Short mmCIF file of all heavy atoms in Angstrom, two decimals:
data_model
loop_
_atom_site.label_atom_id
_atom_site.label_comp_id
_atom_site.label_asym_id
_atom_site.label_seq_id
_atom_site.Cartn_x
_atom_site.Cartn_y
_atom_site.Cartn_z
N ALA A 136 243.10 141.56 110.11
CA ALA A 136 242.19 141.90 108.90
C ALA A 136 242.91 142.92 108.06
O ALA A 136 242.92 142.82 106.75
CB ALA A 136 241.01 142.54 109.44
N VAL A 137 243.69 143.90 108.69
CA VAL A 137 244.49 144.84 107.88
C VAL A 137 245.56 143.97 107.18
O VAL A 137 245.90 144.24 105.91
CB VAL A 137 245.14 145.88 108.76
CG1 VAL A 137 246.11 146.72 107.94
CG2 VAL A 137 243.99 146.81 109.32
N VAL A 138 246.22 143.14 107.80
CA VAL A 138 247.29 142.32 107.12
C VAL A 138 246.81 141.57 105.96
O VAL A 138 247.43 141.54 104.94
CB VAL A 138 247.98 141.30 108.27
CG1 VAL A 138 248.83 140.31 107.54
CG2 VAL A 138 248.74 142.15 109.32
N SER A 139 245.60 141.00 106.10
CA SER A 139 245.01 140.25 105.07
C SER A 139 244.78 141.03 103.80
O SER A 139 245.14 140.80 102.70
CB SER A 139 243.78 139.55 105.52
OG SER A 139 243.02 139.14 104.46
N TYR A 140 244.17 142.24 104.10
CA TYR A 140 243.90 143.20 102.97
C TYR A 140 245.23 143.68 102.31
O TYR A 140 245.34 143.73 101.07
CB TYR A 140 243.20 144.35 103.47
CG TYR A 140 242.61 145.29 102.38
CD1 TYR A 140 241.44 145.07 101.77
CD2 TYR A 140 243.36 146.47 101.87
CE1 TYR A 140 240.93 145.82 100.70
CE2 TYR A 140 242.86 147.28 100.84
CZ TYR A 140 241.63 146.92 100.34
OH TYR A 140 241.11 147.84 99.31
N ALA A 141 246.24 144.05 103.20
CA ALA A 141 247.43 144.59 102.68
C ALA A 141 248.33 143.61 101.92
O ALA A 141 248.74 143.81 100.85
CB ALA A 141 248.21 145.19 103.76
N HIS A 142 248.46 142.39 102.53
CA HIS A 142 249.34 141.36 101.94
C HIS A 142 248.74 140.88 100.55
O HIS A 142 249.51 140.62 99.66
CB HIS A 142 249.51 140.24 102.90
CG HIS A 142 250.51 140.51 104.03
ND1 HIS A 142 250.94 139.65 104.91
CD2 HIS A 142 251.15 141.70 104.32
CE1 HIS A 142 251.84 140.24 105.74
NE2 HIS A 142 251.94 141.45 105.38
N ASN A 143 247.41 140.90 100.48
CA ASN A 143 246.90 140.46 99.22
C ASN A 143 247.14 141.48 98.12
O ASN A 143 247.06 141.19 96.89
CB ASN A 143 245.35 140.35 99.29
CG ASN A 143 244.93 139.04 99.89
OD1 ASN A 143 245.67 138.17 99.79
ND2 ASN A 143 243.84 139.02 100.65
N ARG A 144 247.65 142.57 98.46
CA ARG A 144 247.95 143.78 97.50
C ARG A 144 249.50 144.09 97.56
O ARG A 144 249.89 145.05 97.06
CB ARG A 144 247.07 144.92 97.77
CG ARG A 144 245.74 144.68 97.44
CD ARG A 144 244.64 145.62 98.16
NE ARG A 144 243.35 145.19 97.75
CZ ARG A 144 242.66 144.30 98.35
NH1 ARG A 144 243.14 143.52 99.32
NH2 ARG A 144 241.36 143.97 97.95
N GLY A 145 250.21 143.20 98.17
CA GLY A 145 251.71 143.43 98.11
C GLY A 145 252.22 144.62 99.06
O GLY A 145 253.23 145.06 98.82
N VAL A 146 251.41 144.89 99.98
CA VAL A 146 251.78 146.01 100.92
C VAL A 146 252.03 145.52 102.36
O VAL A 146 251.50 144.59 102.81
CB VAL A 146 250.44 147.02 101.01
CG1 VAL A 146 250.72 148.02 102.02
CG2 VAL A 146 250.32 147.68 99.56
N SER A 147 253.10 146.18 102.89
CA SER A 147 253.57 145.75 104.28
C SER A 147 252.77 146.38 105.36
O SER A 147 252.11 147.43 105.14
CB SER A 147 254.90 146.20 104.51
OG SER A 147 255.81 145.69 103.50
N VAL A 148 252.74 145.73 106.59
CA VAL A 148 251.98 146.29 107.70
C VAL A 148 252.82 146.36 108.90
O VAL A 148 253.48 145.37 109.29
CB VAL A 148 250.77 145.38 107.97
CG1 VAL A 148 249.98 145.99 109.18
CG2 VAL A 148 249.83 145.28 106.73
N GLU A 149 252.72 147.47 109.58
CA GLU A 149 253.30 147.59 110.96
C GLU A 149 252.16 147.66 111.97
O GLU A 149 251.16 148.28 111.74
CB GLU A 149 254.05 148.97 111.04
CG GLU A 149 254.59 149.33 112.40
CD GLU A 149 255.26 150.81 112.45
OE1 GLU A 149 255.58 151.30 111.28
OE2 GLU A 149 255.42 151.31 113.51
N GLY A 150 252.44 146.86 113.03
CA GLY A 150 251.41 146.80 114.19
C GLY A 150 251.96 147.49 115.43
O GLY A 150 253.19 147.83 115.42
#
Side-chain angles (χ1 to χ4, degrees):
V137 170
V138 168
S139 164
Y140 189 86
H142 283 186
N143 280 333
R144 290 156 182 81
V146 171
S147 305
V148 179
E149 175 186 338

